Amino acid sequence: MATVYVNDIEVEIGDEERLNLIQAAQRAGVFVPHYCWHPALTVVASCRMCLVEVGQKTEDGVSMMPKVVPGCQTPAKDGTVIVTDSETAKKAQAGTLEGLLLNHPLDCPVCDKAGECTLQDYSYRYGNSHTRMIDEKRTPPNKPHIGDNVTLFTDRCIMCSRCVRFTREISGEAELQVVSRGHHAEIDIFPGEPLDNKLSTNVVDLCPVGALCSKDFLYKHRVWNLKTVDSVCVDCSTGCSIHLDTNKTVIYRLRPRENQQAQGWFMCDEGRLGYHYCNDDDRLSRPSIENSPRSWQETLDALRKDLEEAIGKDAGSVVAILSPFMTCEEAFLLSKYLKSLSGQIRLALGPVPVIGEDDNYPKDRKGNSIEPVKFTIRAEKCPNRRGVEEVLQHFQGEIISFDEVVRSANDGQIHFAYLVAGYPPRGEGWINQEQADALKKATCLVVQDILPSTLSASAKYVLPGATFAEKDGSVVNHKGLAQSLKRGANPVGEVRQDGQVFQDLMQRPGLFHLATIRQELASEINYFSRLPAMTEQGVFLEQSGDA
C-alpha cells in the first residue's frame, strides 16, 4: 500500500492501482485543472494546465523537484508529495491559461459551450483578470464541413488533441488530424474523409471548449435553462447511461454519462440523436374509443368492462403483448392485473427488433474490428428484453413469442388483444402489414403507443404512451445490469406514465410511485430482489455463481 501526500493530506493507493497525480489528488478531494487528459485516452501532456509541484518524502525530509511537472504524465508512488496550491503552481496555471487565451475569441455570448465550458471556469478560478495581449488575434476559418453531425469553430480550439486521439483509439477510423505546426496548428480531416463514424459526436463531449459543436444542438438552447436528469438510452440493449437535457415537454439532447458497468465513457450517434420522435407533433396525446377522443376515466372504465366480458366468454382468447420497451415495473403491473382476473389470459413478448450484428469499436481503416473492444453498438435495438422476459416467465411460466400470437390471431383464436408498443420509429417499423392485419381480426383491440400506426387506426381503444424521457422505471441490459429511467420531460397533452395507466386500470388509488412498485416487484419476483439496492451506476441482478 503506497502513501501519497496531497497538500498535506495523506492518500493511500492500492498495490495494484496505477494513478497519476491528477487521480491521486482527486482521491484526496483536491481538483487539478486539466484539458488534454482524459481517463479513456492516452496521455500526451500537451495542454500543461495540470502543472503542479512534486517531491519525494524520505526519512531525511521532503525533496522537491526544482520545476513544476504535468500531473497527468507523472505517476504517483509511495512517498510522493504533491502541492497544487503553492504560488509556483498557481503562477504556472495562470500562465498556461494566458497562453491558451491569446488567440481565443470572445464568443461566449454566442457559443453553445457557454455555461459548461472549462475555459470559462478555469479562467475564473485559476486565471488572470486582465490580458496582456495587444496584437490582433489569429482567426482561421471555421470548418462546418468536418462531419455530418459535428462542426468545427477553428479559432476556439486550444489544441488539446482529445478529438484526434478519440478517432484513433476509440472509434479507430482516424478521420481527424493535426495539420501545420506551432502557432498555425489546426484540427482538420483528411481530404474527402469526413468525420462520419457512428461514434463521431463523442468528440463534442470530449472537447473542453466550444470548438467542436453538435449540429443537432447548435444554437437551440442555453444550457443553464435545461433540466438535466440521469437516465438510460433505450436505443439498444447496451443501455448506455446518459444525461437527459430537457425543458418542459421538449428533449434537447442526450449526453453520455460515465458508467463502467454499462458502456464506459461514450455513446453512439444512433442513440444520441434518436430522440426526435419524442418531440414529434404527431404523437398520440389523448385516449380514444373508436377514434373518438374521450377522457381517461371514460376510456378505462369502458376498456375494463370489455375486458371482463371477454374473460367471461373465453379467457383463453384474451392476450396481452408486452413490449421490450416497457420498464420492469410497468410489465409487472400489467401482468399482475391481468393474471389476477384469470390465469388463462396469455401474456406474450412483443417484437424484439434486431438489426444486423453487434458493431464493435475500434475499427481499422478498412472497417474491421480491432481487439481489445472498447465500445459495442448492440444489434438488439431495445432496452429491456431481459427484464420483461423475467416478468413474463414469472406470471406466464414461458415466453410466448409475437409470432405465436400472430398465428393464433390468424386462426381466429384471439378475441381481445391488449398491445403495449412504445417502439421508436426505426426503418420499416416494428410491425409489418401482415402482422397488423392478423391482430385486426381480434374483436376488441387495445393499442397503447407513442405514435399513430396502421394498427392504432384500427383499434377500438387507443391509449397514448409515454416516451422513455417522460417516465420512471427500471430496465435491464444485455449483461443483467438494471438501471433507472428517470422522468426529465413533462408528458405532452393528456399523456400519463404507462405505470400510472396500469395502476388506474387496476383501480389502485394514488399516483404511480416508483419506489413502492419497485419494492413490490422485488418481493414477488426473486430475480428482481436486488432492485431496491439500485445506485446511480445500476445494480447487477445476478451475481457471479447465480443460476
Side-chain angles (χ1 to χ4, degrees):
M1 187 76 73
T3 301
V4 177
Y5 304 88
V6 184
N7 296 345
D8 296 326
I9 303 172
E10 286 191 18
V11 176
E12 292 188 344
I13 300 176
D15 293 336
E16 301 300 320
E17 291 184 288
R18 299 293 181 267
L19 305 182
N20 60 29
L21 303 190
I22 295 176
Q23 294 168 309
Q26 285 176 342
R27 187 162 295 187
V30 176
F31 180 76
V32 177
H34 55 276
Y35 287 120
C36 66
W37 179 75
H38 189 280
L41 305 175
T42 53
V43 176
V44 291
S46 62
C47 76
R48 317 308 281 183
M49 192 63 218
C50 62
L51 295 175
V52 295
E53 288 194 280
V54 67
Q56 184 68 28
K57 189 171 185 178
T58 64
E59 295 180 356
D60 300 327
V62 177
S63 175
M64 299 297 292
M65 294 182 67
K67 294 184 179 181
V68 290
V69 300
C72 63
Q73 200 175 38
T74 308
K77 59 181 181 179
D78 189 36
T80 297
V81 176
I82 308 167
V83 180
T84 70
D85 57 359
S86 67
E87 287 303 315
T88 301
K90 290 179 180 179
K91 184 178 179 181
Q93 293 167 356
T96 296
L97 271 173
E98 185 176 25
L100 293 175
L101 289 168
L102 287 179
N103 284 300
H104 196 85
L106 189 58
D107 281 355
C108 300
V110 296
C111 180
D112 268 9
K113 198 74 172 182
E116 55 186 13
C117 174
T118 50
L119 196 57
Q120 285 181 330
D121 297 339
Y122 292 176
S123 295
Y124 179 77
R125 292 180 59 187
Y126 308 104
N128 298 321
S129 57
H130 299 283
T131 178
R132 294 180 290 173
M133 178 70 168
I134 58 174
D135 299 316
E136 186 176 341
K137 291 178 181 283
R138 180 172 175 266
T139 55
N142 296 328
K143 299 168 184 173
H145 61 277
I146 202 167
D148 291 340
N149 300 323
V150 180
T151 185
L152 173 61
F153 293 90
T154 316
D155 55 351
R156 300 176 189 169
C157 180
I158 62 171
M159 295 304 297
C160 69
S161 77
R162 278 184 173 189
C163 56
V164 175
R165 284 175 284 149
F166 175 85
T167 60
R168 295 181 181 181
E169 300 166 15
I170 307 299
S171 66
E173 300 183 26
E175 299 96 335
L176 296 182
Q177 60 172 323
V178 178
V179 299
S180 300
R181 294 186 179 184
H183 182 65
H184 297 283
E186 296 177 11
I187 301 296
D188 208 341
I189 54 174
F190 287 91
E193 297 189 22
L195 178 65
D196 60 359
N197 67 72
K198 293 182 180 179
L199 305 182
S200 63
T201 314
N202 285 288
V203 300
V204 175
D205 307 310
L206 286 169
C207 183
V209 296
L212 290 165
C213 292
S214 165
K215 290 182 178 178
D216 180 66
F217 184 67
L218 194 64
Y219 306 135
K220 294 287 180 64
H221 216 287
R222 281 305 195 182
V223 298
W224 51 81
N225 289 326
L226 296 176
K227 172 185 176 183
T228 300
V229 298
D230 293 343
S231 192
V232 183
C233 176
V234 298
D235 207 66
C236 80
S237 59
T238 296
C240 292
S241 299
I242 61 169
H243 296 297
L244 176 65
D245 294 330
T246 66
N247 187 294
K248 298 180 180 178
T249 63
V250 181
I251 300 169
Y252 282 95
R253 63 178 182 176
L254 275 57
R255 295 175 293 130
R257 171 169 57 93
E258 189 252 332
N259 186 350
Q260 298 305 319
Q261 296 185 136
Q263 87 286 3
W265 293 94
F266 309 109
M267 71 183 297
C268 73
D269 285 2
E270 292 175 1
R272 182 194 298 268
L273 304 175
Y275 66 87
H276 290 283
Y277 69 95
C278 301
N279 301 331
D280 198 313
D281 291 336
D282 293 331
R283 278 188 56 186
L284 298 170
S285 60
R286 292 189 66 185
S288 65
I289 303 176
E290 296 179 337
N291 295 319
S292 175
R294 304 292 179 88
S295 68
W296 275 106
Q297 183 70 47
E298 186 179 359
T299 303
L300 294 180
D301 285 346
L303 192 161
R304 198 181 299 111
K305 181 180 178 181
D306 280 353
L307 175 58
E308 291 170 356
E309 288 180 359
I311 293 172
K313 292 178 181 178
D314 181 8
S317 69
V318 177
V319 63
I321 303 164
L322 279 62
S323 162
F325 283 84
M326 297 174 71
T327 67
C328 300
E329 292 81 7
E330 291 166 355
F332 170 72
L333 284 176
L334 182 58
S335 299
K336 183 175 182 176
Y337 169 62
L338 294 175
K339 284 296 186 179
S340 71
L341 298 177
S342 173
Q344 293 182 310
I345 294 176
R346 287 182 292 167
L347 305 175
L349 178 66
V352 177
V354 176
I355 301 176
E357 300 178 347
D358 289 353
D359 193 9
N360 296 323
Y361 290 84
K363 298 179 182 292
D364 60 22
R365 295 288 295 163
K366 295 181 179 179
N368 302 312
S369 297
I370 303 172
E371 296 291 339
V373 173
K374 297 180 180 179
F375 190 89
T376 300
I377 304 174
R378 300 285 163 186
E380 184 177 278
K381 301 301 181 182
C382 58
N384 197 33
R385 174 190 57 82
R386 288 193 63 170
V388 173
E389 281 186 347
E390 290 295 335
V391 172
L392 293 175
Q393 191 68 49
H394 174 79
F395 285 103
Q396 185 63 36
E398 62 176 329
I399 307 300
I400 300 175
S401 71
F402 185 64
D403 289 339
E404 291 180 60
V405 174
V406 171
R407 285 194 294 270
S408 296
N410 270 323
D411 294 339
Q413 298 174 4
I414 295 177
H415 299 305
F416 188 104
Y418 191 137
L419 174 63
V420 183
Y423 294 82
R426 299 282 188 267
E428 298 178 356
W430 61 273
I431 187 171
N432 59 41
Q433 191 61 49
E434 182 181 345
Q435 294 168 331
D437 290 341
L439 291 174
K440 289 175 186 178
K441 295 179 181 179
T443 307
C444 183
L445 177 61
V446 182
V447 174
Q448 189 165 336
D449 206 352
I450 299 169
L451 292 163
S453 66
T454 179
L455 205 55
S456 65
S458 304
K460 180 175 182 180
Y461 296 96
V462 176
L463 308 179
T467 67
F468 75 97
E470 299 164 348
K471 60 186 177 181
D472 300 309
S474 309
V475 293
V476 183
N477 78 353
H478 71 104
K479 293 190 295 186
L481 175 69
Q483 298 183 82
S484 284
L485 288 179
K486 291 183 182 177
R487 174 175 169 174
N490 297 326
V492 299
E494 298 180 21
V495 174
R496 297 179 179 179
Q497 290 195 52
D498 292 356
Q500 184 67 55
V501 174
F502 301 142
Q503 195 165 296
D504 294 341
L505 190 61
M506 300 170 73
Q507 295 182 299
R508 281 193 182 186
L511 297 175
F512 175 81
H513 184 243
L514 178 61
T516 301
I517 305 302
R518 182 177 282 173
Q519 186 62 52
E520 184 180 345
L521 169 62
S523 62
E524 292 194 26
I525 304 179
N526 186 58
Y527 178 81
F528 296 101
S529 60
R530 299 189 180 103
L531 207 54
M534 180 89 70
T535 66
E536 291 183 356
Q537 305 294 305
V539 60
F540 281 104
L541 298 180
E542 297 179 10
Q543 292 182 346
S544 56
D546 286 359

